[in-house]
């Protein structure tokens, strides 16, 4: 496919064909969603090279796990989840490598000097890691709503939960994360 794919309907069509085993459709799909996937990863990871790594991981996951897309929502909503999970996985890997090599800073990053563009705050990533330890059910809905701005109904469809449950999870997640983002004031 040589035409540039831009519309959600076109992407959904490519995804359906790729899920059915059409390799050309899969190649076209991966090319079409790469910029969006990279943007999602950049929204989580502050360094371009890290975001590129996470994007590559996400595209591999899309290619190998496209069969798990339920087709009950937009492919791009499912893609958001895959990309966010890849970015968070890359963050965890990098953090573990830094701990193992003892290169972590002694102090927490200063939120006044840490980038807040598109949710790239390191304190946000740390807060989400802490939230996941005690309340993993809040992480995905909170990320999809507050970092990526997806509508509540799409989030409910993606996570397979009633709309009221999703709204409550986001509310509770915000309440838990908010104090972690304030720093030591």
């Amino acid at each position: 496919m040589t035409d540039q794919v831009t519309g959600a309907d076109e992407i959904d069509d490519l995804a359906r064909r790729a899920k059915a085993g059409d390799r050309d459709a899969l190649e076209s799909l991966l090319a079409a969603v790469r910029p969006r996937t990279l943007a999602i990863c950049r929204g989580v990871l502050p360094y371009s090279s890290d975001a590129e790594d996470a994007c590559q991981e996400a595209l591999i996951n899309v290619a190998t796990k496209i069969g798990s897309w339920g087709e009950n929502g937009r492919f791009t909503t499912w893609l958001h989840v895959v990309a966010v999970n890849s970015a968070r996985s890359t963050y965890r890997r990098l953090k573990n490598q830094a701990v193992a090599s003892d290169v972590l800073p002694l102090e927490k990053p200063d939120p006044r000097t840490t980038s807040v563009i598109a949710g790239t705050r390191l304190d946000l990533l740390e807060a989400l890691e802490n939230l996941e330890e005690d309340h993993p059910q809040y992480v995905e809905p909170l990320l999809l709503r507050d970092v990526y701005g997806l509508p509540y109904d799409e989030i409910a469809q993606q996570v397979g939960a009633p709309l009221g449950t999703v709204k409550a999870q986001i509310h509770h997640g915000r309440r838990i994360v908010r104090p972690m983002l304030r720093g030591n004031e």
Side-chain angles (χ1 to χ4, degrees):
M1 182 174 214
T2 57
D3 296 339
Q4 184 178 8
V5 176
T6 56
D9 289 338
E10 293 169 292
I11 289 174
D12 286 351
D13 181 56
L14 278 176
R16 281 186 199 91
R17 291 180 16 226
K19 184 177 176 181
D22 183 336
R23 293 191 56 74
D24 290 336
L26 178 61
E27 291 300 320
S28 296
L29 176 67
L30 294 175
V33 299
R34 186 183 188 288
R36 180 187 302 250
T37 306
L38 183 57
I40 293 166
C41 292
R42 283 183 176 149
V44 176
L45 297 164
Y47 298 106
S48 291
S49 62
D50 298 340
E52 289 279 350
D53 289 347
C55 176
Q56 189 63 30
E57 178 185 326
L59 293 175
I60 290 169
N61 286 335
V62 166
T64 59
K65 298 177 182 176
I66 194 162
S68 68
W69 173 48
E71 296 185 45
N72 56 350
R74 288 283 186 193
F75 176 80
T76 52
T77 303
W78 181 79
L79 175 69
H80 264 85
V81 174
V82 172
V84 166
N85 287 339
S86 293
R88 292 183 65 232
S89 173
T90 298
Y91 172 75
R92 279 189 212 103
R93 181 178 40 81
L94 293 170
K95 180 181 173 186
N96 289 338
Q97 287 172 351
V99 167
S101 62
D102 203 26
V103 295
L104 279 180
L106 296 177
E107 297 179 22
K108 284 187 154 187
D110 183 348
R112 294 171 296 183
T113 59
T114 304
S115 173
V116 294
I117 299 169
T120 59
R121 290 176 55 159
L122 297 178
D123 56 338
L124 174 63
L125 292 173
E126 284 298 317
L128 290 172
E129 289 296 307
N130 290 332
L131 179 64
E132 188 167 45
E133 287 177 20
D134 296 324
H135 305 284
Q137 72 276 19
Y138 299 160
V139 175
E140 186 176 339
L142 184 65
L143 268 172
L144 292 174
R145 179 66 187 158
D146 288 356
V147 175
Y148 297 104
L150 291 180
Y152 290 107
D153 58 334
E154 278 189 42
I155 297 167
Q157 192 173 40
Q158 181 60 42
V159 300
L163 183 60
T165 300
V166 166
K167 287 182 177 182
Q169 288 174 332
I170 292 168
H171 171 75
H172 293 303
R174 285 174 179 159
R175 197 176 65 210
I176 294 167
V177 167
R178 200 170 287 128
M180 293 181 224
L181 298 177
R182 291 190 183 129
N184 297 330
E185 298 174 355

